[in-house]
Amino acid sequence: MINSSLQNVFSPLRIGPTEVKNRIFSSAHQTSLVREHQPTPELLAYHRERARGGAGAIFLEATAVHPSGLLTPKTLAGYEPAIVDGLSEIRTEVHSHSTRLFVQLFHGGREQIASAPKAPAVAPSAVPTTRFHVEPRALTRAEIQEIIEGYATAAEHMMMAGLDGIEVSSSHAYLPSQFFTRRSNFRTDEYGAEHPLRFLNEIMDAVRERVGDKIAVGCRLALDEMSQSGLSEPECLDFASAVSESLPVDFISFTLGDSATFSGGAFIAPRPRTMPESILARMPQKREGGPVIMATTRVTDIHEAEAAIAAGLADMVGMTRAQIADPHLVRKAQSGERSIPCIGCNVGCIGHYHAGLPIACVMNQATGRETSLPQPTFRPSPAAHGGKRQVAVLGAGVAGMAAAVELASAGQQVTVFEKESEIGGQLRLAGNAPDHQFTWETWRDWQYHLIESLPIKVQLESTIGERDLAEFDDVIDARGAKPYRDERFGGVNNVEIIDAWDFLQNPEHYAADNILISDWGGEPTGLDCVEVLLGRGHTVRYAFGGAMPATNIHYYQQFGYLKRIDVAECEVIPFTQVDAVDGSAVLRGSFSDRVSDLPAGTTKVIIAHGRVPAIDAAQTVGERVGDVDGPRTLEEAALEGYRAARALSN
């Protein structure tokens, strides 16, 4: 039965020669489930699961049309004939669930992430690009024609593989849109910025000539490049109108961001703090007639998609990260079942891509592992082998709750002991900072839903001794981490030393004038303190050790932080952190070891210098998981809790 509140979402739609069964799609996103530029069984299993989950259409990831357009070593090569067989297998599996399969044809131009040895980068003109620090050379006319032929050849391969459509990537300042503007195009020939759509027009004509009307053909465009040097929303809409009116397209897919700049890059896969509203809040009213309009960027609520379609803002909506978290989002929405939420952390999805790792998800350990792990059901199943066991989980942070949920789903009886008055551990503390508030609240609400749905008993404000554990068959120790406190700072007498965790727990307890934040630069805690102070209207001095703040977090979270602290109220002191020398706090250069006085007037220093396990290894009980076994990230905590629980249950 179709959910009546989602009647627009679940209505069919014709896109050129094909019809989709509903209006939710999974947009093109890199999975790294690619070997030697060809599809793999893992890629097939990944998309098969999303088709099983009810998506109306799936767009395969950016697929290069020419060797010079291979963005990374794990980019599909659409120009190679060998790709036809692999994509045919994926198409067969996806079609068996009545889901349509599209692909994105791609050339990054001067935007290149490839590891060494790199091929030379090419672009309309020899203009270096800021974000990836690539120095391209200008394309010759002959090379332009060769790349256009590459699009046509790749499109023909997609048609041979039985795909339903192709999308030419012309967004995010990739090659076609590099011809749009003098920021990247200083040519004086017929492909100059005075003729911004010529290159794209010739691509679309070549593609149409090769595939005709047998498959749908469309274009991905930016709605706004979201950077000072990029295309503004009015300029993007002008280009979209020109494409709609003059190019042979069946659909236009809108997105946000700009790969060429740090500021625009923050909006390619924005975190909730960077972009509280989705792209749907910015969409103009759809024109009558014309191509199908699609939109995707940070849409995680299917009811928001329903409202946008009903209001005529879009015909289809991409819910990509939401389906990374739960590939069965569409099916569950149809039946009224609650889906696994996307918490907006970006850790396993885009974070893994930039690390060259297979896609994953903190909220769903089966993501990217579909060939070996089943999708979670969160319904108790009969206990395997030895029957139901009594399991104690020590700590209700991310690792402990991941273990508890998996154990309870496997039919075990679980009791979670938590010394604090709330679940969440470090994530709860981080939720006091604006960058993590959405992540924390979404995770917390989902955990309480699971606690109510599964046989999990949680005892808050509770500690447990060895005698109490005797009644349990197994124990998982997930007691987390605590801040590293350098004992030398206890003797400092020239300023007040405040631990970052204490500050984030109760920022209102600390007078915030004349504060310096000293951040070791590994994880976000120091930056969180900066944001809390800025949000309370204070000026901030921020010193970070190393070459970059928060080096252990992914690009998109980094970009968001640095964009928000790049304000007059924040004085940044790079490559420096606070040290203690002869009873006084001083600044020490990270590379030079040069010592200098604290800035004049400093009365308080907030210290964020890393973490250590909350319990010594000798004091742990049972199997250690997460930060108690060594502080790391949200991802390792969730994965280790899950794996330990599966090992006990199988």
Side-chain angles (χ1 to χ4, degrees), residues 221-443:
L221 295 170
L223 180 64
D224 188 338
E225 291 192 336
M226 306 295 287
S227 63
Q228 188 275 330
S229 65
L231 295 170
S232 66
E233 185 170 337
E235 290 172 317
C236 287
L237 289 175
D238 285 345
F239 279 118
S241 294
V243 168
S244 175
E245 293 167 6
S246 63
L247 273 62
V249 295
D250 297 310
F251 66 91
I252 292 174
S253 179
F254 283 115
T255 187
L256 293 171
D258 167 15
S259 186
T261 63
F262 293 110
S263 56
F267 291 91
I268 292 176
R271 283 169 56 84
R273 169 68 171 160
T274 301
M275 186 176 158
E277 294 182 310
S278 77
I279 190 174
L280 299 178
R282 306 173 61 95
M283 290 289 291
Q285 193 72 29
K286 182 181 179 296
R287 296 179 181 179
E288 289 296 323
V292 166
I293 297 298
M294 305 179 185
T296 183
T297 301
R298 231 198 80 71
V299 185
T300 58
D301 184 347
I302 199 167
H303 291 91
E304 184 183 8
E306 168 70 21
I309 296 168
L313 302 180
D315 298 303
M316 289 192 77
V317 176
M319 297 187 65
T320 307
R321 279 179 285 177
Q323 290 176 93
I324 292 172
D326 195 334
H328 289 241
L329 176 146
V330 176
R331 176 187 62 77
K332 291 179 180 179
Q334 285 179 304
S335 64
E337 184 181 350
R338 190 167 175 177
S339 59
I340 305 169
C342 169
I343 61 174
C345 66
N346 283 356
V347 171
C349 47
I350 195 73
H352 267 216
Y353 169 58
H354 283 286
L357 300 172
I359 195 166
C361 181
V362 166
M363 298 297 285
N364 184 348
Q365 300 307 323
T367 293
R369 303 180 179 98
E370 287 81 2
T371 58
S372 59
L373 294 179
Q375 287 296 313
T377 62
F378 307 116
R379 291 188 295 272
S381 61
H385 306 306
K388 182 178 291 187
R389 299 174 68 79
Q390 296 284 333
V391 185
V393 176
L394 311 185
V398 171
M401 289 308 303
V405 167
E406 181 59 23
L407 285 164
S409 297
Q412 313 300 345
Q413 194 67 42
V414 186
T415 304
V416 181
F417 297 92
E418 170 55 52
K419 68 176 182 178
E420 302 294 340
S421 59
E422 171 71 291
I423 68 170
Q426 293 169 67
L427 186 56
R428 175 178 55 82
L429 176 67
N432 292 331
D435 192 61
H436 308 286
Q437 183 178 358
F438 176 90
T439 296
W440 153 241
E441 291 176 350
T442 306
W443 180 89

Side-chain angles (χ1 to χ4, degrees), residues 441-485:
E441 291 176 350
T442 306
W443 180 89
R444 176 197 61 198
D445 293 349
W446 177 242
Q447 299 307 310
Y448 278 123
H449 166 72
L450 295 176
I451 290 169
E452 292 174 1
S453 305
L454 293 165
I456 300 173
K457 182 180 179 181
V458 178
Q459 294 188 10
L460 299 174
E461 299 181 304
S462 174
T463 56
I464 189 165
E466 288 186 20
R467 184 174 300 175
D468 301 311
L469 290 174
E471 64 186 86
F472 292 96
D473 299 303
D474 298 290
V475 179
I476 291 178
D477 197 331
R479 283 181 280 182
K482 61 185 180 182
Y484 171 64
R485 292 185 168 101

Side-chain angles (χ1 to χ4, degrees), residues 529-569:
C529 293
V530 174
E531 287 216 90
V532 168
L533 284 168
L534 290 175
R536 297 173 69 84
H538 297 285
T539 57
V540 185
R541 290 189 177 107
Y542 171 61
F544 65 87
M548 188 79 168
T551 53
N552 289 345
I553 63 174
H554 54 82
Y555 281 155
Y556 293 96
Q557 191 175 2
Q558 259 186 4
F559 292 170
Y561 272 123
L562 298 179
K563 181 181 178 70
R564 294 190 300 272
I565 73 168
D566 188 11
V567 294
E569 294 78 16

Side-chain angles (χ1 to χ4, degrees), residues 70 132 141 306 400 422 449 460 508 623 642 645:
L70 291 169
F132 294 122
R141 280 193 182 90
E306 168 70 21
E422 171 71 291
H449 166 72
L460 299 174
E508 64 278 1
E623 181 170 359
Y642 170 84

Side-chain angles (χ1 to χ4, degrees), residues 39-53:
T40 62
E42 291 79 11
L43 184 66
L44 184 151
Y46 177 83
H47 289 298
R48 176 176 57 209
E49 199 63 50
R50 278 133 195 90
R52 286 183 61 227

Side-chain angles (χ1 to χ4, degrees), residues 139-197:
L139 286 160
T140 66
R141 280 193 182 90
E143 288 171 329
I144 288 175
Q145 294 306 311
E146 186 178 320
I147 289 173
I148 291 171
E149 174 59 24
Y151 278 97
T153 298
E156 184 175 17
H157 290 160
M158 303 305 130
M159 183 175 64
M160 293 168 62
L163 271 63
D164 300 290
I166 63 168
E167 171 186 79
V168 174
S169 176
S170 308
S171 61
H172 295 147
Y174 295 133
L175 183 60
S177 55
Q178 288 165 23
F179 283 87
F180 290 178
T181 169
R182 286 186 62 80
R183 177 178 70 165
S184 49
N185 185 359
F186 288 98
R187 300 181 74 94
T188 57
D189 61 9
E190 65 272 27
Y191 293 101
E194 294 78 11
H195 310 285
L197 288 176

